[in-house]
Amino acid sequence: MAGISIDDESSDLCSEDISITSAEDVPTPSPVWPTISDVQRALRPLQATADHVGKQVEEFAETLDRLSKTRSEKFERDCTYALALVQGYRKIARSAVDYLRGIHGAENQGRPGKPRRDKLHTSASASDLRRRHCEHHTDRTTVEDLERWEQEEQTWHLLGLMLQVEYPSSGAHTKEASSTERVVRPRKATRVHQYSSEREVWSNFLAHDDQAWERHTVINWLKACADDCGQDMEQVIQDLERNADRGSGLWAHSWLYTKESIKGQKRLRSWPQALAPDSPGIDSSLRNSSPAKSLVTQLDPDAVTRQVRDLQPQDDNFEAATWMACWNMLRRGQDWQFIRTWCQERVENWRAIAMRGDPRQHSSKDGKSLSYLNHTVDWQSRALWRKSCALAARSGVLDKYEAAVYGALSGYLPSVQKVCGSWNDYLFAHYNSYLLRSFDQYVATYSADRIPHGLQARDGFFEFSVTGGRRTQSGNQLIEKMRRLKPLAQESRDPIKQLQGSLIGKTFGSFVRKYGFQLLREQKRQANVSQYPSNVPRSQHENNKKPSIRPDDYQVIRMVTHIVLIYLDLEPSWLENAQFKAAGIFVEAYVDFLGKAGKQQLLPLYASRLSPTGAIRSLSRQLPRILEFGERRTVMQLMKQHSIDVPSVLNEQLWMIMKEIESKADDSTHDPKYPTLRIMEARGDEQRVGMRKIRAKFMGNVVTDDQHDLINGFEWYLLLDGYWEKTLATGAVLYKHFLSNVSLARIDTVHRLTRAELPDSKGLAAARELSQRVSFSTLSRRKTHAILGHEIDISDFLDWEEIGMLGNQSGASTISRAAQYGGDGSRNLYKPEKERYLFQQSNSFLNLEQLVQAMDAFEAWQAAMEKKPSLELAGSTGKQWRDNLKKACEDVESCIRPLQHGWLQSPRNDDEALELEEIRKACLPEVLLAYLVVLNSSAQYVSREYLLRSLEVGAAVASKDSDLGPCFVLAGRMPEFVDALAFTSTTIILANEHGGGKKRTPARLGIWSTKGSLNTAE
């Protein structure tokens, strides 16, 4: 794999901060409200993700909830409890990795450029893995899923290490820390002296130098990552054997092909001693096969460099493969004992001796101490050994992997960079070089007498920089430089790598601010993608650069969310600046994912970690998606358990939907907010009011997604105990909204209707659905139990005569009574007064529901009229039809009755009084005129009594104390009403003249008889 080379001039990074957009620079977007169909469309691609990570999502939440409850207080600058959380998250990721390796291990092993280990780090048996695979046979996981989970497991490991570096445990909570993986920093000892062992010097160095301890920790993490996700060493050996053209088990023969060539020459020459480079004719006779170059004459390890000769091509491959294996062992953090055993098995002991002396190898992986590191002698030789390794790596005559091995042991950066092929390798090369350089400087400062004189000289053979002349950079500077390197550009853009870089560079707060607001902008852009001007190409609006964290990258959002919650507990400063607002963006995005994935019971847990306002806003977006009654009850109980303001959440969800709808309304028109109802067909030029018909299905049947959301949201109030006045006031607002011009501002996405195809019924269908799903009777029975101690339907308590009297009372009187009894005004009243007061508070909601019920009755009556049988089907069929029509007419009458007595006459304040008057003007005249049409038409087929009832309507309108007459006058429809009454009078006269022998009631209709009038005149 090609290495990464960097020019000295461009390698130094100028100090520059990450570009961060502050909270003040980002305008707060208008709420982006997902509708039911939005959710359904989003769930299709999300379903697979939810299936894959569903179990892990629940395990993360369970871990967070369980360990959060055990923490009674926050321990500032102490990572003990946070470490327990991180370890829990890491175990979840580890379990997912083990499972996916059981499915994709073989496929992943052979991916080019993506070496992975084949062994399963799991205690699960093969049969258990097969069983789990069968249980999840519908999961369409991929190798990419495995790699992502491996990266996540590495990230949790890194976070645990960095927390221990930045927030070391005080040691006072050992019980909580016992179950977590901890790294123990060496304790500060006495000053280094001439009798100190190498282990003591190294430990003291790490104990005193905080930056060195941090780099040492990161290096160990990088080694662990390489060991866990790299190709298994046995597989590496098999690949090397194939490349070296030798079968299994022939590693012990070293330079096999070169050795045979040398032996052949000695046999031909009958040479008793070793061949020498200056032997006669050796250059022409001892040559390799391809290309033809002089072969070495001896087989000692440095023969190639000493004689400046070559090996046979097969042995060249063997040599390169062997050093590659050595590099892999060092890169994976294998201890020297493992390396020595590996070399002994291949009769390459000299390689192990060449790699002996790294001060970091205190003990082998089996826990046995490496005794040579405790010796006090040969300290100078080890210092000289590191410098010699650096010199060998710098020479330029070694194979790149051999040079990399010596560079890793000495900290010589340029030679290691040549074999770096990944982000992790590059970081390892730099941190390893910085660490060993700091160690040499530490020894030179505190124990200069232990450094050989030749190394102390400022000029000479050993005078060169192990970093290649580049200055040491901080973690943040190094991460930023890697992001700009072309070979690493693509990997550096990976969100998980950026997250890891922010943890290493201690810039996680900057990461959250930068990408949190970027995520918010991307969410807003995707929601408003259809709002681009039609004459401007969309490409001019979009940034060509893809966002680092996409709104649908739920794994990264989940990781950032849980890390954010940890830092909010550890770092009080996160609560005081823009970081808290940016952190809330990630948490809200994760809450949104949980809602889409159907994990509703987890919503309150995460929302409770936001600010009170953020929790209300976040949950208010999710509640309309929850449709099942039992699930709603559970979620509401959880919100109460987590101390979330439930009434505010319910109110916010409806407010946000209506605000979103109003923002999409067409403001170019100047129509009134509440348009006149259109119950009757349009009036012809010569057509009288009484001859008009009720429009068929005038309420329509189209309920938009937004309207469904509003109704679903209001249904939550059924589960809210008490809050009578607030609930009824909210319901009244919904009815008003459905009657307004903005109720269909957002085009329905289910029926795909254009605005021209929308019914002019506006939101009447939605209003009808609201009256059916959350009727006043249902609300009353649900809520009166908590207020009165038993269920009752308040609408059955008073008759309509008394209701009309109550409706005429002023809103101020109602408010004063509420203040008198405190709270919502429904406590400590004797029962009749209390029920009367509850009714007054519900007056507007009930009145609007009655209007909707009346319109529904009109529509049902018209449907019955349209079923009128023909003359040929008279008889029993005609009688059945008349009975049905009579029933429909009686339903209309019962629904109209409440509208004639103080309808919408109980405003709470002056502003609502003006609004209610506008609704009365838009609705009441049309309803009463339609009622006259129903009565006149029904009189022809059912009973002439309906004609007299038409006249009763006229009397009610003309009454001195009536509130109906002024309403007709304000609406400018009094002439229509007079014309309708005149038509009714004419109908009565004609009915008496042509009534024949039909029964009638002379006492009531006699004055309208023309014959009776003539006789009286005579």
Side-chain angles (χ1 to χ4, degrees), residues 768-873:
R768 174 167 53 192
E769 182 166 340
L770 175 60
S771 68
Q772 294 169 352
R773 289 171 55 180
V774 194
S775 66
F776 177 77
S777 296
T778 302
L779 271 174
S780 180
R781 294 190 187 96
R782 288 282 177 85
K783 291 189 173 293
T784 50
H785 185 274
I787 300 173
L788 303 176
H790 64 279
E791 294 184 359
I792 186 174
D793 185 354
I794 300 297
S795 62
D796 296 336
F797 178 67
L798 300 172
D799 60 33
W800 290 114
E801 296 297 334
E802 190 171 1
I803 287 173
M805 295 172 60
L806 288 173
N808 290 325
Q809 293 179 359
S810 66
S813 175
T814 302
I815 296 173
S816 63
R817 183 175 299 186
Q820 176 182 353
Y821 295 103
D824 61 357
S826 59
R827 304 288 180 183
N828 303 320
L829 294 169
Y830 63 90
K831 192 168 297 183
E833 182 69 14
K834 196 171 190 180
E835 291 166 343
R836 185 189 302 271
Y837 176 60
L838 291 178
F839 176 82
Q840 286 180 308
Q841 291 181 320
S842 64
N843 200 282
S844 294
F845 177 85
L846 179 58
N847 285 169
L848 291 169
E849 180 184 280
Q850 291 161 347
L851 170 66
V852 175
Q853 292 173 343
M855 290 188 289
D856 190 37
F858 283 138
E859 196 173 84
W861 179 87
Q862 179 59 32
M865 280 292 294
E866 292 177 349
K867 296 179 181 179
K868 175 185 176 183
S870 61
L871 295 177
E872 293 79 5
L873 298 177

Side-chain angles (χ1 to χ4, degrees), residues 847-848 850-851 898-899 901-905 919-920 924 963:
N847 285 169
L848 291 169
Q850 291 161 347
L851 170 66
L899 274 64
H901 303 278
W903 186 71
L904 288 184
Q905 293 289 293
I919 296 175
R920 284 170 50 84
L924 204 51
D963 59 287

Side-chain angles (χ1 to χ4, degrees), residues 409-422:
L409 295 171
S410 63
Y412 187 69
L413 179 60
S415 65
V416 181
Q417 280 187 277
K418 294 179 181 179
V419 298
C420 291
S422 67

Side-chain angles (χ1 to χ4, degrees), residues 442-591:
Y442 174 83
V443 174
T445 302
Y446 295 100
S447 187
D449 55 333
R450 301 173 67 117
I451 305 298
H453 178 73
L455 297 183
Q456 297 181 21
R458 296 192 176 183
D459 55 5
F461 194 65
F462 292 106
E463 183 56 27
F464 60 89
S465 171
V466 294
T467 61
R470 303 181 182 97
R471 65 182 179 88
T472 303
Q473 296 173 335
S474 67
N476 183 34
Q477 291 174 328
L478 184 58
I479 297 299
E480 280 296 292
K481 182 172 74 173
M482 292 165 61
R483 186 171 59 86
R484 291 195 293 271
L485 293 177
K486 188 174 181 180
L488 300 177
Q490 182 175 355
E491 187 178 8
S492 297
R493 286 195 296 268
D494 182 78
I496 296 182
K497 280 300 174 191
Q498 295 192 51
L499 174 57
Q500 292 174 353
S502 70
L503 295 174
I504 293 172
K506 296 183 179 179
T507 58
F508 181 67
S510 300
F511 173 89
V512 171
R513 291 198 301 273
K514 177 180 179 180
Y515 294 112
F517 292 115
Q518 182 189 91
L519 177 64
L520 181 64
R521 287 192 295 269
E522 181 64 15
Q523 289 174 331
K524 184 180 179 182
R525 187 194 68 80
Q526 291 184 6
N528 299 332
V529 70
S530 61
Q531 296 185 3
Y532 293 112
S534 58
N535 60 337
V536 179
R538 181 175 298 180
S539 59
Q540 295 183 17
H541 296 271
E542 297 178 352
N543 190 347
N544 293 330
K545 257 180 139 181
K546 293 183 179 179
S548 295
I549 300 180
R550 304 186 313 274
D552 60 348
D553 195 345
Y554 300 111
Q555 184 177 19
V556 174
I557 292 175
R558 172 174 51 77
M559 293 171 62
V560 176
T561 295
H562 287 84
I563 297 175
V564 158
L565 297 180
I566 289 173
Y567 274 96
L568 287 175
D569 280 346
L570 286 175
E571 194 61 64
S573 62
W574 274 63
L575 303 174
E576 302 171 357
N577 51 35
Q579 286 179 178
F580 185 68
K581 183 175 181 180
I585 295 173
F586 280 103
V587 178
E588 290 188 39
Y590 186 59
V591 170

Side-chain angles (χ1 to χ4, degrees), residues 79 89 125 134 202 220 257 279 391 393 424 455 517 648 740 949:
C79 69
Y89 299 153
S125 64
C134 293
W202 176 258
N220 286 339
Y257 294 90
S279 299
L391 186 63
N424 281 17
L455 297 183
F517 292 115
S648 296
S740 69
R949 295 175 189 173

Side-chain angles (χ1 to χ4, degrees), residues 60-61 64 562 587 590-591 594 602-610:
F60 270 88
L64 174 64
H562 287 84
V587 178
Y590 186 59
V591 170
L594 293 176
L602 306 181
L603 300 177
L605 170 64
Y606 289 93
S608 65
R609 300 307 182 97
L610 296 165

